[in-house]
Structure formats: C-alpha cells, structure tokens
C-alpha cells in the first residue's frame, strides 16, 4: 500500500490485548505512521510526576497536558518518545507512571488536549493509532476500526513477561487484579471510555499468534481499499 494513501487504522482494546505489538507491525507492513496514543498519556503522567504535580488535581494535570510538547519519533526498533525534548521512552514504562497514566486519562481536560494532538497527526498522513477510544472518539469516521480483546489472565501473563524483562518481579494474581481494576476504571470514565465502536471488527487474541492478528487486520484493510479504489 502506498504511504500517500490517507488511510487511518484504529486499534482499540484493554491493556494487554496486544494492541501495541500488532499496531506497530501493521503500520510497518502498510507503510503507515505508528502512533501509540497511550505513550502520550504516559508522557504527560511522567511530566506531572517529575514536576511534583498532584495527580488528583485535575486542573494542574490539565495544564501539564496543555503545555507539554510530546513527540513520537519512529525508528528501526519502534517509536521513541520525547517530552519537552527529553527522551522518556523507557521512563514512561515504570509501574508508577502506568498507574498515574491511567488516572490522568480520566481527566476531561487532559483527554481534550491529547485528542486534538492525535487528530492533527491524522490530518497530514495515513497512520495506525492504538489506544482505548481511537475508533470511538479520535477517528470515528474511519472504516478501518479494530477492537482487540483477551482473557484477563492472558493479559496479566503478558504484562508479567514485559515487566520481568524490564527487571521487575511481579505476582500474576496481583497483576490480574490490576488488569481488572484498570478495565473498570477505563470503562467507567465519563470521557472517552473504553468500548468497542459499533462498526469495529472484534478480534479475541487470547489464543492467536501475533502474526495471525496482524494478517487478519491487513487482509481487512487491503480488501476494503482495493474494493474502494484507494
């Protein structure tokens, strides 16, 4: 697929469903920009923690989001994340930042600021963006919407593997509880709640390989674009 085609692919779903890995591979194979929307919220959370801002202070974290300059720079290994010129690719993946990120993501002002930045990215080129409300809020008009899901235990297992590779020792039972709590929080928030867009393709990744999920999405996109002449 030619990169000049203005194709917007959205991949939503809960934590651990495989969104990031799948979205990155789909973007690479379709020659599109990969955007990890969650990294943007994590970068704001990291900035707020660094500044000593109270995460519960909605006005304060909104100001951080409005003033933060977040850059996502693709490279051969993935996407490097910068906040106000400082690389935070690894720093935003700690448990503390993850928790803070899930909390500030419920703040309307923060979401408004970041959603506008995300839409701006889509105005200039085709992309694959993953998150929790990309197909329902950020790009509701794209025909290429996908929603990934997996069992809570499988998502906890994947998270455990990622954390252990980063040097953290975690308990699978506690992780599963955190996964379920994150789901409840994301689904209950008043702005941009986690939910499947009515016209999104649902994919249960529990027993699927990464390649199977990637091929499912690419086949759907290519079938539609060939049929519509894009």
């Amino acid at each position: 697929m030619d990169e000049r085609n203005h194709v917007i692919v959205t991949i939503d779903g809960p934590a651990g469903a495989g969104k990031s890995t799948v979205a990155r591979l789909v973007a690479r194979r379709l020659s599109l920009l990969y955007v990890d929307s969650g990294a943007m919220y994590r970068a704001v959370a990291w900035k707020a923690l660094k500044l000593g801002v109270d995460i519960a202070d909605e006005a304060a974290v909104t100001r951080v989001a409005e003033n933060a300059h977040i850059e996502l720079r693709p490279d051969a290994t993935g996407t490097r994340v910068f906040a106000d010129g400082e690389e935070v690719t690894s720093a935003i993946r700690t448990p503390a930042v993850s928790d803070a990120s899930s909390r500030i993501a419920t703040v309307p002002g923060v979401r408004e600021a970041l959603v506008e930045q995300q839409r701006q990215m889509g105005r200039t080129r085709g992309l694959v963006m993953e998150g929790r409300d990309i197909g329902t809020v950020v790009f509701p008009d794209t025909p290429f919407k996908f929603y990934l899901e997996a069992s809570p235990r499988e998502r906890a297992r994947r998270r455990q593997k990622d954390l252990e590779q980063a040097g953290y020792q975690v308990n699978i039972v506690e992780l599963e509880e955190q996964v379920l709590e994150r789901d409840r929080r994301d689904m209950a928030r008043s702005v941009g709640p986690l939910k499947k867009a009515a016209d999104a393709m649902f994919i249960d990744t529990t027993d699927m390989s990464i390649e199977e999920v990637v091929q499912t999405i690419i086949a759907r996109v290519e079938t539609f674009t060939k049929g519509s002449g894009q």
Side-chain angles (χ1 to χ4, degrees):
M1 180 178 293
D2 194 315
E3 183 178 55
R4 291 171 295 182
N5 286 332
H6 201 79
V7 172
I8 304 293
V9 179
T10 69
I11 301 179
D12 290 306
K19 301 186 302 295
S20 297
T21 301
V22 169
R24 187 178 297 112
L25 289 172
V26 169
R28 184 180 304 161
R29 295 185 192 180
L30 296 180
S31 298
L32 299 171
L33 175 68
Y34 163 64
V35 180
D36 175 3
S37 70
M40 299 175 72
Y41 287 94
R42 286 173 175 271
V44 171
W46 174 86
K47 187 71 175 180
L49 292 174
K50 181 181 181 181
L51 294 173
V53 172
D54 181 358
I55 298 300
D57 186 336
E58 295 192 1
V61 294
T62 294
R63 285 194 294 273
V64 173
E66 291 173 340
N67 296 320
H69 178 56
I70 302 169
E71 293 180 85
L72 303 179
R73 303 178 189 173
D75 67 9
T77 60
T79 302
R80 299 169 65 193
V81 184
F82 293 79
D84 296 330
E86 180 176 352
E87 182 165 9
V88 295
T89 307
S90 298
I92 63 173
R93 299 297 172 181
T94 66
V97 172
S98 293
D99 182 67
S101 174
S102 71
R103 294 178 186 282
I104 70 166
T106 66
V107 178
V110 172
R111 299 200 71 82
E112 183 177 342
L114 295 187
V115 164
E116 178 51 37
Q117 291 186 41
Q118 292 158 8
R119 286 175 176 159
Q120 183 59 41
M121 294 177 185
R123 293 188 184 110
T124 57
R125 61 177 298 177
L127 54 79
V128 177
M129 186 177 293
E130 53 103 344
R132 286 171 173 74
D133 64 349
I134 311 305
T136 55
V137 175
V138 185
F139 297 111
D141 296 327
T142 180
F144 309 113
K145 301 187 190 76
F146 301 88
Y147 188 91
L148 307 190
E149 179 63 278
S151 70
R153 175 50 64 101
E154 174 60 18
R155 290 189 283 134
R157 187 194 66 76
R158 294 171 182 174
R159 179 61 175 158
Q160 181 185 46
K161 181 179 179 181
D162 290 342
L163 288 172
E164 288 181 344
Q165 289 178 341
Y168 297 96
Q169 293 300 313
V170 289
N171 180 279
I172 187 68
V173 175
E174 293 179 356
L175 275 180
E176 186 170 1
E177 292 175 352
Q178 291 173 15
V179 162
L180 292 172
E181 174 56 31
R182 178 68 185 271
D183 287 352
R184 286 190 288 268
R185 189 184 304 163
D186 288 343
M187 291 177 179
R189 67 192 184 204
S190 60
V191 180
L194 169 65
K195 66 178 181 179
K196 174 185 172 296
D199 56 344
M201 180 180 185
F202 179 86
I203 304 175
D204 185 340
T205 70
T206 303
D207 298 314
M208 294 178 71
S209 68
I210 292 172
E211 183 60 24
E212 287 174 330
V213 180
V214 170
Q215 287 298 330
T216 298
I217 292 175
I218 289 178
R220 178 70 170 261
V221 173
E222 291 187 333
T223 296
F224 188 97
T225 53
K226 288 177 181 177
S228 63
Q230 287 194 47

